[in-house]
Amino acid sequence: MQKKAIILFSGGLDSTTCLAIAKNQGFLLYALSFDYGQKHKAELIAAERIATMMGVQAHKFISLTALGELGASALTDDRIPVHDYPNNDTVPNTYVPARNTIFLSMAMAWAEIINASDIFIGANSLDYSGYPDCRPDYLRSFEEMANLATKAGIEGRRLTIHAPLLLLSKCEIIQTGLALGVDYRLTVSCYRLDEHGRSCGSCDSCIYRKKGFSEAGALDPTQYYLPYS
């Protein structure tokens, strides 16, 4: 029997690559997406479209808008603008406090309910924004906690957190996805899309995306609005 895997799925470049990797490894795919009060919902529309095309078994959308109501992040708080890529070691203002911990906790619960032992997350600790909940130590700690906190864990059905992109550059992530047939035209990465769904080209997410396609020698299919086209 095929094993089930839950994939934290935003509809972005990394999570779509992660979905393709899990599929290539033979898992039955269960995608989990979140409305956490983010300013634009284009990524959720993209997630639904991609999940259908990639043949997921089930795709759940969880409302976590209360997370956004707490504020303090440029992704959720209308009073805080998304800054351009800072090009330094500071954590950008797009950081959402505790986001991955909450997302993984929901995935942990669903995994126990459907008797799945594998969770995939597209966390990356190389070409990334410096978010603390994307680091290897954090993911190892969460996995240990999950196996202490669940009925399945104490009964011997251990949960494994897979982060196949963790030590890859954005270039390597894109090359991996292209080899698996990922259509990156469908993915959304930008933190400040315009009203036509075009990307800004200068937020940290856009900068890493453009860098990845350039280094991979691949055409970037993203539509950027001027002057970043």
Side-chain angles (χ1 to χ4, degrees):
M1 292 181 62
Q2 283 182 279
K3 295 173 65 177
K4 301 173 181 177
I6 293 174
I7 297 89
L8 295 184
F9 189 51
S10 70
L13 185 152
D14 290 343
S15 67
T16 300
T17 306
C18 214
L19 188 74
I21 290 171
K23 182 177 182 179
N24 186 61
Q25 292 180 2
F27 286 97
L28 293 173
L29 308 175
Y30 290 75
L32 189 58
S33 301
F34 300 93
D35 180 350
Y36 58 93
Q38 57 268 56
K39 290 176 181 176
H40 65 71
K41 300 299 187 287
E43 63 186 53
L44 296 178
I45 297 170
E48 184 171 22
R49 182 167 58 242
I50 296 165
T52 299
M53 291 183 62
M54 294 186 68
V56 304
Q57 300 296 305
H59 187 193
K60 285 191 178 295
F61 290 85
I62 304 295
S63 176
L64 292 173
T65 54
L67 180 61
E69 291 167 7
L70 295 175
S73 171
L75 293 191
T76 61
D77 193 329
D78 288 331
R79 298 167 298 179
I80 305 174
V82 174
H83 293 157
D84 285 351
Y85 175 61
N87 199 26
N88 57 38
D89 293 331
T90 61
V91 176
N93 69 352
T94 51
Y95 167 63
V96 180
R99 181 174 61 176
N100 278 354
T101 300
I102 294 169
F103 288 2
L104 283 168
S105 295
M106 298 299 294
M108 177 180 73
W110 196 23
E112 189 156 37
I113 290 166
I114 67 172
N115 294 318
S117 297
D118 300 272
I119 294 174
F120 282 74
I121 180 172
N124 178 261
S125 63
L126 290 184
D127 283 342
Y128 81 127
S129 299
Y131 300 154
D133 52 5
C134 288
R135 296 174 299 162
D137 288 349
Y138 164 76
L139 294 170
R140 283 193 296 267
S141 295
F142 189 95
E143 180 179 280
E144 184 61 27
M145 181 278 296
N147 286 300
L148 292 171
T150 56
K151 178 176 180 286
I154 64 173
E155 289 180 349
R157 181 167 61 82
R158 288 187 60 82
L159 184 72
T160 299
I161 306 294
H162 301 265
L165 314 183
L166 194 61
L167 301 179
L168 300 183
S169 67
K170 194 66 74 176
C171 167
E172 291 170 324
I173 291 169
I174 289 169
Q175 289 173 332
T176 298
L178 291 174
L180 294 174
V182 172
D183 185 352
Y184 286 118
R185 292 176 301 173
L186 304 176
T187 64
V188 174
S189 298
C190 182
Y191 292 149
R192 51 185 184 197
L193 296 171
D194 70 2
E195 66 272 18
H196 302 295
R198 295 176 300 182
S199 299
C200 74
S202 60
C203 68
D204 52 310
S205 186
C206 279
I207 291 296
Y208 283 119
R209 183 181 176 109
K210 292 199 297 184
K211 175 176 179 284
F213 277 107
S214 176
E215 291 179 353
L219 176 67
D220 181 358
T222 311
Q223 288 189 324
Y224 297 103
Y225 55 83
L226 294 175
Y228 305 108
S229 60

